[in-house]
Amino acid sequence: MTSRIPYRRLSLAALTLLLLATSCARLNISNYYRRHRPILDSIEHTYHDAYLKKPFSIEFTDRSFDHVSLELVTDTLTYIYEYRFDETRLPDTLKKYGYDTTSIGWLIRNMRTRNCTWIDNLDYYTETNKHSLIYISLWPRSFNSPFVSKKYYILTYFQQQQYFDSEGRLLVGRRLKRIRKINGDVYHRINDHVCYTISDRFR
Amino acid sequence: MPRNPLLLIILLLTVRPAMAEVHPASTRDQALDLLNKTTLPDSSVFWPNIKQPLFIANLKANINFPQKIYQGSNTNFCGYAALSYLPLNDDPLAYTIFMLSLYKTGEATWNGIHFKPSPEVHLAAGTLRFKGILDIRPADQLWFLSLADHFRSYLNFFTRHFHPGSENTFWAAVNYGKFNRMIRELLGYRVEARGSDLIRPDIADLYDFLKTTVARPGTTFLYVNNTYLHKKNHNKFKGSFPTHFIVLNDIHRIDGDPDMVDIIYWDYGGRTLRQVSLRFLKKITFGITHCIPPAP
């Protein structure tokens, strides 16, 4: 009987440690952003400029970040193609539809390095005014351990200064104090123009 | 004019399907004319949250650009948005008459079906937010909510009444049978359906079947598993059931690769061309509905 007590205590301690490990293993996205800010901001700027010339989005479709899907938006059709990231057909396709192969090639390489699984431009509305934001989904491979949440870390870049409540949650506007949701998720402040959330979906 | 009556019959039989396709029951001009001539009250007692200028702008946009109708992000309105493809393209006048009547009197009848939306829907139309452009499309909100409120099926059994946020839940869900029923009853189309909510249709040569179907007069819808078509996560285990309706505009093989096809389809307010393998297409397709418009 007495020999079973330490065994129980050990089990309890192990379980507690496991729970602690699971709960603590969530990536601190604010710190991640600050650490990698130059490259993340460059990805955003490059995408923003390239999107203005011709709209598109980029998605990495697998965990190894080897396959990339391009959505090329024209006035009449959206073309969706999927290639290996190093296939020659990829730049050929971009050229065919008149896209800037240099900046999109740079984006694909750097998104792959930084584990960005998706980048897109989203429209949102305040009252009747249309605005847009850039949406970057991160899926860090370095956090692929069993205890880490398999969720996506999403950064949103706004053109205008945003407003937040006392808990740092994104609001609809300065006068409109309602919490704004994007894709059904509540967002939190990193700075006045950049917010984050953790989501089950990358888009 | 051919003198041989047999030749005339053959000519009519050959030409008529094409005429049915290019001549809708009404035109955009007729719909716009009606809209311009109709005086609407500045605000509606039935729809307190709908702003009249936005309502009119929304109707005009739908009539002029029928393919732009958008279900809103993260809603379950895709079945209603796909269904809207038919009246907006084939009979915009009937759509406009219905919407104006609904706005002015709070209720309306289409093809003998009377719509009297619940008080909750009356209050909700115009208030849906964070759905992309649907935020500023009160007529679409009214249309989708009224359809969801009226047509019910087993998927809606546990969510009978609208509550704020119901547009994202099973309250708004559309299964295959309900989708076909709405088109048949509301729009009077002849509906030819193959498939179900759980089991894929047993079609030996899917490519050939789809190619033949889209070539016929009418509109072809596919009921698909959207977790593959419009992937939102990288989970290995995905639900193997359909959740989304698309309009198949065309399908053709890719030169030099007999297993790959280009599909051109409409959903989410626009047309898309996508290269997929036939295996993938077979995997995601649970229903194929071909709709033939009623004779004018």
Side-chain angles (χ1 to χ4, degrees):
Chain A
M1 193 71 186
T2 48
S3 63
R4 286 176 70 184
I5 293 169
Y7 174 73
R8 275 187 190 166
R9 280 183 184 164
L10 270 173
S11 306
L12 197 65
L15 188 68
T16 313
L17 275 173
L18 186 70
L19 285 171
L20 271 173
T22 313
S23 60
C24 295
R26 184 170 271 194
L27 168 67
N28 185 325
I29 187 69
S30 299
N31 288 345
Y32 184 87
Y33 171 75
R34 285 183 190 109
R35 216 165 39 242
H36 302 287
R37 182 174 183 171
I39 185 66
L40 289 169
D41 286 1
S42 296
I43 289 172
E44 188 268 334
H45 292 321
T46 308
Y47 177 78
H48 177 260
D49 293 347
Y51 184 92
L52 282 181
K53 289 179 199 159
K54 256 175 133 39
F56 66 98
S57 62
I58 301 172
E59 173 197 347
F60 276 93
T61 58
D62 54 356
R63 188 64 174 137
S64 53
F65 285 81
D66 286 335
H67 290 87
V68 64
S69 172
L70 299 168
E71 285 193 18
L72 309 175
V73 184
T74 70
D75 290 340
T76 51
L77 270 178
T78 296
Y79 296 87
I80 303 180
Y81 295 105
E82 187 173 337
Y83 302 115
R84 257 193 72 85
F85 77 97
D86 50 1
E87 256 187 276
T88 51
R89 284 193 301 164
L90 197 155
D92 290 348
T93 302
L94 291 171
K95 249 183 242 167
K96 178 183 165 187
Y97 292 106
Y99 280 87
D100 178 354
T101 50
T102 311
S103 56
I104 297 179
W106 183 91
L107 271 172
I108 290 170
R109 283 192 303 280
N110 283 281
M111 282 175 68
R112 190 165 185 265
T113 316
R114 284 271 60 86
N115 307 151
C116 300
T117 194
W118 168 253
I119 189 164
D120 196 10
N121 183 85
L122 290 188
D123 293 335
Y124 69 97
Y125 293 82
T126 306
E127 294 293 293
T128 54
N129 300 318
K130 181 181 170 182
H131 307 284
S132 64
L133 60 87
I134 288 174
Y135 190 95
I136 299 177
S137 303
L138 300 160
W139 198 27
R141 275 180 289 197
S142 50
F143 292 86
N144 203 15
S145 81
F147 302 129
V148 169
S149 161
K150 295 289 187 293
K151 294 192 172 184
Y152 300 95
Y153 298 86
I154 294 162
L155 296 174
T156 46
Y157 285 77
F158 294 86
Q159 308 291 315
Q160 294 84 16
Q161 180 188 348
Q162 298 301 301
Y163 298 92
F164 303 88
D165 68 5
S166 56
E167 293 174 42
R169 292 176 297 186
L170 179 67
L171 297 174
V172 170
R174 185 165 40 182
R175 281 168 294 155
L176 298 162
K177 298 290 182 192
R178 280 181 297 136
I179 289 171
R180 175 183 292 286
K181 286 187 177 178
I182 300 164
N183 267 348
D185 291 315
V186 174
Y187 278 72
H188 302 269
R189 184 180 187 278
I190 290 180
N191 61 42
D192 285 348
H193 291 264
V194 183
C195 298
Y196 76 91
T197 196
I198 300 166
S199 177
D200 293 329
R201 306 176 298 265
F202 65 85
R203 64 176 166 188
Chain B
M1 192 73 175
R3 287 182 189 172
N4 186 339
L6 185 65
L7 199 63
L8 181 66
I9 290 166
I10 292 169
L11 184 72
L12 278 173
L13 284 174
T14 339
V15 170
R16 216 185 139 199
M19 284 171 70
E21 195 174 30
V22 293
H23 290 294
S26 63
T27 64
R28 285 179 199 173
D29 287 343
Q30 286 174 296
L32 287 172
D33 195 40
L34 173 72
L35 190 57
N36 291 333
K37 284 179 181 162
T38 305
T39 309
L40 290 177
D42 290 342
S43 61
S44 167
V45 287
F46 303 103
W47 309 99
N49 295 307
I50 290 185
K51 291 174 182 164
Q52 185 244 44
L54 281 180
F55 180 80
I56 294 172
N58 188 173
L59 289 184
K60 279 186 181 166
N62 286 352
I63 295 164
N64 283 317
F65 309 102
Q67 296 192 348
K68 297 261 183 193
I69 192 163
Y70 178 58
Q71 66 185 67
S73 65
N74 284 308
T75 70
N76 279 347
F77 286 150
C78 80
Y80 311 110
L83 158 96
S84 314
Y85 188 92
L86 294 173
L88 290 177
N89 282 287
D90 293 350
D91 198 355
L93 181 62
Y95 163 80
T96 309
I97 292 168
F98 177 80
M99 292 300 288
L100 291 174
S101 172
L102 202 52
Y103 180 80
K104 284 197 286 191
T105 64
E107 50 192 276
T109 302
W110 191 339
N111 204 26
I113 297 178
H114 188 67
F115 286 73
K116 193 175 180 184
S118 63
E120 293 84 6
V121 163
H122 279 276
L123 285 174
T127 65
L128 305 186
R129 290 291 177 273
F130 316 132
K131 313 284 180 204
I133 200 168
L134 188 64
D135 290 9
I136 57 159
R137 293 277 170 94
D140 292 346
Q141 292 187 20
L142 186 161
W143 167 243
F144 296 150
L145 288 166
S146 299
L147 285 169
D149 189 60
H150 184 86
F151 288 101
R152 312 299 291 160
S153 75
Y154 74 91
L155 282 184
N156 319 119
F157 185 76
F158 293 108
T159 47
R160 293 184 178 212
H161 303 288
F162 179 88
H163 300 287
S166 290
E167 68 277 7
N168 312 329
T169 70
F170 272 100
W171 178 83
V174 178
N175 67 309
Y176 193 48
K178 172 171 154 178
F179 181 75
N180 292 327
R181 176 163 54 93
M182 285 193 295
I183 293 173
R184 204 169 39 239
E185 292 178 1
L186 181 64
L187 306 173
Y189 280 59
R190 186 153 66 82
V191 173
E192 297 169 5
R194 295 277 303 266
S196 71
D197 290 337
L198 294 172
I199 301 165
R200 296 179 190 88
D202 184 22
I203 297 168
D205 189 339
L206 185 64
Y207 172 78
D208 192 49
F209 183 83
L210 291 175
K211 186 77 187 164
T212 312
T213 307
V214 292
R216 293 167 54 207
T219 305
T220 306
F221 293 91
L222 299 186
Y223 186 34
V224 296
N225 185 338
N226 209 33
T227 55
Y228 290 95
L229 187 68
H230 190 73
K231 200 160 72 170
K232 289 189 173 181
N233 61 46
H234 296 82
N235 295 350
K236 283 186 180 146
F237 301 104
K238 295 180 190 296
S240 57
F241 45 84
T243 49
H244 189 51
F245 293 90
I246 63 175
V247 178
L248 184 68
N249 295 131
D250 200 4
I251 178 167
H252 49 80
R253 286 192 192 276
I254 295 169
D255 291 340
D257 196 343
D259 293 330
M260 295 291 287
V261 288
D262 276 337
I263 53 171
I264 299 172
Y265 60 93
W266 174 93
D267 72 349
Y268 297 119
R271 291 170 77 221
T272 301
L273 181 151
R274 181 162 175 177
Q275 293 187 343
V276 294
S277 68
L278 282 168
R279 191 169 159 268
F280 177 85
L281 189 60
K282 194 156 192 162
K283 186 178 177 179
I284 65 166
T285 305
F286 281 73
I288 302 159
T289 292
H290 189 69
C291 305
I292 299 152

